[in-house]
Amino acid sequence: MIGVFDSGHGGLTVLRQLIARLPQEYFVYFGDHAHAPYGRREPEEIYRLTLEAVERLFQHGCRLVLLACNTASAVALRRMQQDWLSQNAPNHRVLGVFVPMVEALTATSWRDGLPLPGRVAEDGLVAVFATQRTVLSGAYPLEISLRAPQLRVVAQACPQLVAAIEGQEPQTRLKSMVTGYVAEMLAKTGGAVPGAAVLGCTHYPLVAEHFAEALPETTRLMDQPGIVAASLADYLERHPRFAATPGSLSGARFLTSGDPQTVSAFASRFFGAEVAFHSAKELDRI
Ligand code: DGL
């Protein structure tokens, strides 16, 4: 079983691609809807909530957990791997969505610094749209500059966007918010047009069409869920002990810390199919 975690619905955009790419695996999705959004919380709180979620998924039998949340990946992942994992669960692993994106942008392997095929932005400018906390963490510009110093990054926080998406605000409202954030980003570049744009929050694929419309035509939108799915497939090939064995259960189970009915009613927009969420308390009883 592979755990997939997000503060709310956003990780479903990733899970959808994971299932398409790895149909033989069994995924347990946990959305911490009771505490979403994370993007405006303090780092210490994000760390604590993320750790609790990971422990829960480990206790349920997941030995590998993917943080399908940029905010948790940028704020909590490195600290969790360094301070907690090796002492508390040395045979388990936690991965994030942040590393595969940086690898794809810089065409450089995170593990050994070797070049990867298919650089997206040769040099020039990359725009990163993300939650306030991800932007404040500075993680994207820092990690990109370490691997591809020739790339410049313009980071744009979209502080209201996750709450508006989770709150099912009308498309016209979402579109005008996105248009505003894109205009703010462009005002910072001194007229330069980004070659690529990262939607560095797993909620944003839901408003990708508004970003595509608002961004200059030559700016390429990166597909984070697809990139993450390809990266997990590669990881499982290299670490087969975390992969499904022939004949084992496949599919997905959906858990939330929020109200399962409310969460399920809205989930199909993110997942592309009907989804039945269950209370995470059930998971604790198993
Ligand atoms: N979907 C999450 C991300 O990728 C964060 C959303 C939030 O809780 O603010 O950053």
Side-chain angles (χ1 to χ4, degrees), residues 6-8 10-11 36-40 68-72 97 131 134 162 200-203 224:
D6 182 51
S7 61
Y38 278 13
R40 282 177 287 176
C69 174
N70 289 266
T71 309
V97 286
T131 65
T134 300
V162 167
C201 169
T202 53
H203 281 71
Q224 187 177 56

Side-chain angles (χ1 to χ4, degrees), residues 5-11 13-14 29 32 35-41 67-73 97 130-134 159 161-163 166 199-204 224:
F5 167 70
D6 182 51
S7 61
H9 284 93
T13 61
V14 177
Y29 184 89
D32 190 11
H35 301 104
Y38 278 13
R40 282 177 287 176
R41 290 183 184 273
L67 305 182
C69 174
N70 289 266
T71 309
S73 300
V97 286
T131 65
Q132 204 165 12
R133 184 50 61 196
T134 300
L161 199 49
V162 167
E166 288 272 343
L199 300 187
C201 169
T202 53
H203 281 71
Y204 298 174
Q224 187 177 56

Side-chain angles (χ1 to χ4, degrees), residues 131-155:
T131 65
Q132 204 165 12
R133 184 50 61 196
T134 300
V135 170
L136 283 173
S137 78
Y140 267 109
L142 174 73
E143 300 293 354
I144 289 170
S145 71
L146 289 175
R147 288 159 184 83
Q150 76 283 6
L151 283 183
R152 281 185 304 127
V153 178
V154 55

